[in-house]
Amino acid sequence: MTFEKIINRKQTGSVKWDMLDSLFGDDTILPMWIADMDFDNPLPVKNALKKMIDNEVLGYTFPKSSLYSAIIHWQAEHHGMRLTEEQILFSPGVLSSVAVTIQALTEPGDGIVIHDPVYTPFAMLAERNHRQVYRSALTIEEGQYRMCFTDIESILKKPDVKLFILSNPHNPGGRVWTREELITLTDLCIKNEVVLVSDEIHSDLVYEGYDCLSPVTLDDHYKKWVVTLHSATKTFNLAGVKLSFILVYDPSLAKKLKMSLEETELDAVNSFGMCATEAAFLEAADWREELLHYLSHNRQTIIDFFDLHLPNVSYMKPEATYLFWFDASLLNVDATELKSHFAEVGKIALNDGISYGPNGRAYMRMNFAVPQSVLMDGLHRIKKVFDSK
Ligand SMILES: Cc1ncc(COP(=O)(O)O)c(C=O)c1O
């Protein structure tokens, strides 16, 4: 089984493995933090990259029609989207796409709404671009995050608010938003003339029983107000090759985004990213199925472990993503100390909940895209931290 293989990623410039010392103060601890996988890449992707290196000159390149076709095919097959080439724009990463969207569709001082908690860089990029961040706290019902629409509506009504950035599905909670939730949210955005940015980088990593929907597929009218961000890099473990795409139907939004990409030269994307994305979408669909199977086994292992050994620790069962979000408040450790506490006591690197927003303060996030043996090691390290209390 390819996913069982232990791969030594040290000294490869891996953020996850080689930045442990600078970020956690100890390079011997087990990294289960930043969201890339300790799995080898799909063979068809590696072969396509090798073929490119062997046969091509690595000069200036542009997105070929075969890349557009691969994306159009993937989005139709997996997300029910109908796209043309003109509706696809490229940038090096989903985060560059978030930054470009902020710059193209808002002005300094404008308001941007995000959830609390949510993927850390949304707030960071809004703030770096001198926009006002409004956080709408997620509530918890039946162990899962829910949007609070009365709160969202009161924020969207503020005249300075221009953009809502949604993690769809939700990182860090792993929630797959329902059709009703997405419809309510999109309707509220449109009613208040706010563009909805749907970041769908995790949308191909969804567990059985759930369906991650793209707002643009729910109503034709939504296409005017929604910008979708996606990439093959999360699903196929290609974060280092840097390629993402922006899907935009409305010509006036597309024009603004295109202009911003051109102004920054961010539309000049990397040939390895294009090659890997095309191969992944065209030739690695089976690999993704096997990956999901493996990840869902890991997810069950974690749940069984927590239920047996840590029955008082609450957690969110991920409906998507390979991220496990659990409540560490039993430890009575200050939110700002949790990361170093887990590193010192458990010798494990996790993401601390507070970095996702004040509402995440009680939580820790574990990346479980690792071989089973590593997962068991990580779970015992987490148990050690709770046992040491
Ligand atoms: C919701 C979300 N958006 C964007 C990114 C980063 O995307 P990229 O590496 O393409 O910039 C991540 C990475 O974990 C993510 O979770």
Side-chain angles (χ1 to χ4, degrees):
M1 246 318 236
T2 45
F3 303 112
E4 294 291 357
K5 193 168 131 197
I6 307 280
I7 301 171
N8 181 4
R9 300 183 64 195
K10 283 209 175 229
Q11 315 274 316
T12 63
S14 153
V15 170
K16 191 184 199 174
W17 285 85
D18 290 334
M19 290 185 77
L20 286 171
D21 194 24
S22 57
L23 298 175
F24 294 85
D26 185 347
D27 66 358
T28 65
I29 64 176
L30 183 66
M32 295 182 81
W33 62 296
I34 192 172
D36 75 14
M37 306 190 273
D38 287 336
F39 301 139
D40 204 358
N41 296 110
L43 203 56
V45 172
K46 294 173 77 137
N47 286 340
L49 289 168
K50 281 182 198 158
K51 194 170 151 208
M52 187 176 104
I53 291 171
D54 287 345
N55 299 314
E56 293 177 22
V57 171
L58 302 176
Y60 290 117
T61 46
F62 64 95
K64 290 185 286 187
S65 62
S66 53
L67 173 64
Y68 283 104
S69 303
I71 293 172
I72 290 169
H73 175 75
W74 185 269
Q75 291 301 113
E77 186 93 339
H78 297 273
H79 303 290
M81 273 187 174
R82 299 279 169 267
L83 289 156
T84 61
E85 287 193 12
E86 296 68 43
Q87 293 158 345
I88 304 173
L89 304 173
F90 292 97
S91 101
V94 171
L95 282 184
S96 346
S97 301
V98 170
V100 161
T101 307
I102 290 171
Q103 290 178 1
L105 307 184
T106 68
E107 296 294 329
D110 281 349
I112 295 178
V113 194
I114 60 172
H115 282 136
D116 177 14
V118 78
Y119 181 55
T120 316
F122 288 175
M124 185 188 83
L125 287 175
E127 279 159 6
R128 278 188 194 163
N129 283 286
H130 312 290
R131 271 58 168 180
Q132 172 71 40
V133 175
Y134 293 102
R135 296 176 193 266
S136 177
L138 292 165
T139 56
I140 301 174
E141 260 173 56
E142 294 168 7
Q144 295 288 356
Y145 279 133
R146 297 281 186 274
M147 301 192 207
C148 177
F149 291 112
T150 43
D151 183 56
I152 290 175
E153 184 164 25
S154 71
I155 300 173
L156 289 173
K157 276 186 182 151
K158 293 180 192 291
D160 61 324
V161 170
K162 298 289 170 352
L163 218 59
F164 190 116
I165 309 178
L166 174 73
S167 179
N168 179 30
H170 183 251
N171 172 9
R175 180 82 211 290
V176 175
W177 309 113
T178 62
R179 175 182 293 269
E180 290 69 33
E181 285 169 315
L182 291 172
I183 288 177
T184 308
L185 179 68
T186 317
D187 284 343
L188 283 176
C189 284
I190 294 175
K191 189 173 146 198
N192 292 285
E193 302 195 346
V194 168
V195 173
L196 176 62
V197 180
S198 180
D199 174 343
E200 301 181 5
I201 193 168
H202 293 275
S203 64
D204 293 313
L205 295 172
V206 174
Y207 297 104
E208 212 179 306
Y210 299 94
D211 196 6
C212 180
L213 300 166
S214 209
V216 287
T217 63
L218 302 180
D219 187 328
D220 268 350
H221 174 52
Y222 291 174
K223 290 180 174 158
K224 198 171 156 22
W225 289 95
V226 178
V227 173
T228 308
L229 311 181
H230 199 11
S231 167
T233 55
K234 196 61 67 190
T235 313
F236 298 97
N237 212 21
L238 302 164
V241 301
K242 305 298 287 176
L243 187 79
S244 89
F245 46 91
I246 304 176
L247 307 174
V248 54
Y249 288 90
D250 179 69
S252 77
L253 290 180
K255 194 173 164 199
K256 288 182 192 165
L257 289 164
K258 203 162 182 282
M259 208 168 12
S260 184
L261 285 164
E262 285 168 2
E263 279 165 9
T264 49
E265 270 288 320
L266 280 169
D267 60 337
V269 284
N270 169 326
S271 46
F272 291 98
M274 293 191 279
C275 171
T277 300
E278 185 177 327
F281 281 167
L282 291 182
E283 298 173 60
D286 293 349
W287 184 92
R288 185 196 71 127
E289 293 297 329
E290 284 171 33
L291 169 73
L292 274 175
H293 185 73
Y294 196 84
L295 290 176
S296 74
H297 185 50
N298 276 5
R299 180 180 70 144
Q300 194 55 48
T301 301
I302 300 167
I303 288 166
D304 292 344
F305 187 95
F306 268 67
D307 290 351
L308 183 67
H309 298 290
L310 300 165
N312 299 321
V313 176
S314 58
Y315 58 80
M316 290 187 189
K317 182 176 179 180
E319 298 169 350
T321 79
Y322 47 75
L323 307 167
F324 185 72
W325 186 240
F326 64 92
D327 187 333
S329 48
L330 274 181
L331 295 172
N332 280 326
V333 172
D334 190 83
T336 57
E337 301 292 325
L338 274 173
K339 191 173 95 168
S340 51
H341 187 72
F342 274 87
E344 276 159 33
V345 181
K347 301 284 174 210
I348 185 165
L350 302 174
N351 290 94
D352 51 352
I354 187 81
S355 60
Y356 298 85
N359 199 25
R361 72 180 79 76
Y363 286 81
M364 294 299 284
R365 192 192 79 169
M366 176 180 69
N367 170 348
F368 61 86
V370 292
Q372 269 274 323
S373 55
V374 177
L375 178 63
M376 288 317 296
D377 182 7
L379 289 171
H380 282 286
R381 290 174 193 237
I382 290 171
K383 180 173 180 299
K384 189 175 170 203
V385 178
F386 282 100
D387 287 349
S388 72
K389 209 220 144 229

